[in-house]
Amino acid sequence: MATVLAAFCQAPLAQQHPPTDAPVQAIPAAQDDAAAQIEDEIVVERVLTLDLTRDANDIWDRIRRGFGMPDLDSPRVMDQQAFYLNRPGFLKQVFGRGGRYLYYIVDELERRGMPTEIALLPMVESSFNPMAYSSAHASGLWQFIPSTGRYFNLTQDQWVDERRDVIASTNAALDYLQRIYEMHGDWHLALASYNWGEGSVQRALKRNAEDGLPLEYTHLRMPEETRNYIPKLQAIKNIVNEPELFHFELPYVANELHFVTVDAPVGVDLATAARLSDMPLDEFLALNPGFNRPAITTPGQTFIVPTDRAERLEEGLAELERSGKGWRMHTVRAGESIDALARQHGLTPAQLRRLNGLAAGATPRPGHALLVPDGVEPEGALEVSALLPFANAAPSRQGLKLKPAGAGQPQLKSTSNRPRASTTPRSGSRTR
């Protein structure tokens, strides 16, 4: 499993840049006219038609129907397109990984009346890896930095990081994109703001206005990363729009609700929840990447699971809750050593530290809350703790552990706006 998990969490290839400054040789006018005449004779223009009277065949068909941004046609788009098409294995892997999340994202976009190109943006941001973590400390599918995450009410503490939470981060990202679109009235400027920062784009617009230059995205002075940002999204849009034109086969992703949420009782660990859902641990964590600890310690938390696994998970969790076994928080008292606490709970000191994200040799002070087993075997939680990026770990450790996945008692906020397993599934509901 370690090999598979490492492959999932490698640095997103989508963030690499193909060459953008290659010289273009001028073609004499006579040759250019002749070439155009030949091209007119041998090229038949393809016009994509969509029958909107029928249901979408799959999620890609549904995404195509909601395209609403103006197309960008430039050499940079062609460069990015070639970059992706020259890596068909990577493309299929990332599109397939995104299949877990696309239905929810598209549903939210349609509910808000937003263009569905945005559903492809996590491919540019994170390669659809919810554990992706950048050198700027941006995290999750939508790559929120800590300050923007806090601005959009994404909880970040030693127990949970909602920047990685699939539902919470998607809702926050779409809130932010809506806000900056309303600021500019232009989706290209809104996307540039999402990548570069709204203040930076406002200053670039002001410079152009003062210099009497156009105020469109293509005429702004901006960093190379931002200059390539929208061409990347346009290149992916082009491939999704007409994959057969590029001899590329999109992986099948059904146009149906992929997941719902189930209440997570206090004391259950993520490995047990995965087992009760009859899911591989890496698949379970890919849907539940927002936890920083291997077990639930406060009420109000939820698990995300595929729709066909929700009922069995609810039944298993109810039985586990009745047993009274699980995990609990132990507040360290004066004079208690970590060695004694570990022996008391059938653990080694190293295991107790690992479960709680403590560095080797660290000694928790009195009042520190530690996660400990209470009548359950710790092996599953130990496996999870080796995969989750702890909030207080070195930044270089974050985002490396999942495939395509303080003093006193901890207080966690429950995440709202989640599709519930026990009710009718929802239809739809930074600065960087």
Side-chain angles (χ1 to χ4, degrees), residues 165-187:
D165 182 283
V166 173
I167 294 176
S169 69
T170 294
N171 293 341
L174 301 191
D175 286 345
Y176 183 38
L177 284 163
Q178 279 185 306
R179 193 186 81 175
I180 50 182
Y181 174 72
E182 290 168 1
M183 176 190 301
H184 297 296
D186 181 289
W187 276 114

Side-chain angles (χ1 to χ4, degrees), residues 312-324:
R312 74 184 73 178
L313 175 59
E314 287 181 316
E315 293 172 353
L317 291 175
E319 183 177 347
L320 182 66
E321 199 168 13
R322 287 191 295 270
S323 74

Side-chain angles (χ1 to χ4, degrees), residues 252-315:
Y252 177 73
V253 179
N255 179 34
E256 59 187 28
L257 186 67
H258 183 76
F259 58 69
V260 292
T261 59
V262 171
D263 289 334
V266 172
V268 65
D269 64 76
L270 305 186
T272 296
R275 176 177 56 80
L276 294 175
S277 304
D278 194 23
M279 295 176 64
L281 182 57
D282 61 331
E283 285 291 327
F284 186 84
L285 294 180
L287 289 175
N288 297 274
F291 295 105
N292 285 332
R293 291 293 182 270
I296 306 301
T297 57
T298 57
Q301 300 302 299
T302 55
F303 292 131
I304 298 176
V305 292
T307 53
D308 61 349
R309 308 300 173 92
E311 185 175 355
R312 74 184 73 178
L313 175 59
E314 287 181 316
E315 293 172 353

Side-chain angles (χ1 to χ4, degrees), residues 140-142 144 154 162-174 194:
L141 288 175
W142 299 93
F144 278 97
L154 296 176
E162 288 187 329
R163 295 179 301 159
R164 300 195 310 266
D165 182 283
V166 173
I167 294 176
S169 69
T170 294
N171 293 341
L174 301 191
Y194 190 84

Side-chain angles (χ1 to χ4, degrees), residues 355-393:
L355 288 166
N356 289 277
L358 299 175
T363 301
R365 297 179 178 180
H368 190 103
L370 293 176
L371 184 66
V372 296
D374 185 9
V376 294
E377 296 298 324
E379 284 75 14
L382 285 167
E383 183 180 2
V384 173
S385 66
L387 301 175
L388 292 178
F390 291 131
N392 61 347

Side-chain angles (χ1 to χ4, degrees), residues 174-423:
L174 301 191
D175 286 345
Y176 183 38
L177 284 163
Q178 279 185 306
R179 193 186 81 175
I180 50 182
Y181 174 72
E182 290 168 1
M183 176 190 301
H184 297 296
D186 181 289
W187 276 114
H188 289 168
L189 293 177
L191 290 169
S193 297
Y194 190 84
N195 176 258
W196 189 20
E198 56 207 80
S200 298
V201 172
Q202 292 279 41
R203 288 188 291 273
L205 288 168
K206 182 180 179 182
R207 283 195 301 266
N208 274 30
E210 292 171 348
D211 295 341
L213 298 174
L215 302 182
E216 287 80 22
Y217 156 80
T218 52
H219 294 276
L220 300 183
R221 286 175 289 174
M222 62 186 70
E224 190 72 4
E225 178 186 334
T226 307
R227 179 68 66 198
N228 285 314
Y229 188 71
I230 297 170
K232 285 182 180 182
L233 181 61
Q234 182 69 53
I236 297 166
K237 173 184 176 179
N238 291 347
I239 295 168
V240 170
N241 197 34
E242 296 185 284
E244 67 281 1
L245 185 65
F246 303 105
H247 307 287
F248 181 77
E249 183 178 356
L250 291 165
Y252 177 73
V253 179
N255 179 34
E256 59 187 28
L257 186 67
H258 183 76
F259 58 69
V260 292
T261 59
V262 171
D263 289 334
V266 172
V268 65
D269 64 76
L270 305 186
T272 296
R275 176 177 56 80
L276 294 175
S277 304
D278 194 23
M279 295 176 64
L281 182 57
D282 61 331
E283 285 291 327
F284 186 84
L285 294 180
L287 289 175
N288 297 274
F291 295 105
N292 285 332
R293 291 293 182 270
I296 306 301
T297 57
T298 57
Q301 300 302 299
T302 55
F303 292 131
I304 298 176
V305 292
T307 53
D308 61 349
R309 308 300 173 92
E311 185 175 355
R312 74 184 73 178
L313 175 59
E314 287 181 316
E315 293 172 353
L317 291 175
E319 183 177 347
L320 182 66
E321 199 168 13
R322 287 191 295 270
S323 74
K325 299 178 180 180
W327 293 79
R328 63 179 177 84
M329 301 306 299
H330 174 85
T331 302
V332 178
R333 297 185 292 271
E336 281 188 317
S337 71
I338 197 165
D339 293 51
L341 282 172
R343 286 195 301 272
Q344 180 182 342
H345 294 95
L347 302 167
T348 67
Q351 288 174 331
L352 184 56
R353 289 188 177 97
R354 188 192 313 167
L355 288 166
N356 289 277
L358 299 175
T363 301
R365 297 179 178 180
H368 190 103
L370 293 176
L371 184 66
V372 296
D374 185 9
V376 294
E377 296 298 324
E379 284 75 14
L382 285 167
E383 183 180 2
V384 173
S385 66
L387 301 175
L388 292 178
F390 291 131
N392 61 347
S396 60
R397 284 191 56 200
Q398 296 213 28
L400 300 177
K401 296 295 183 180
L402 177 63
K403 171 193 168 184
Q409 290 292 97
Q411 296 296 319
L412 303 186
K413 296 179 181 178
S414 61
T415 303
S416 60
N417 295 329
R418 295 170 177 266
R420 309 299 305 180
S422 56
T423 61

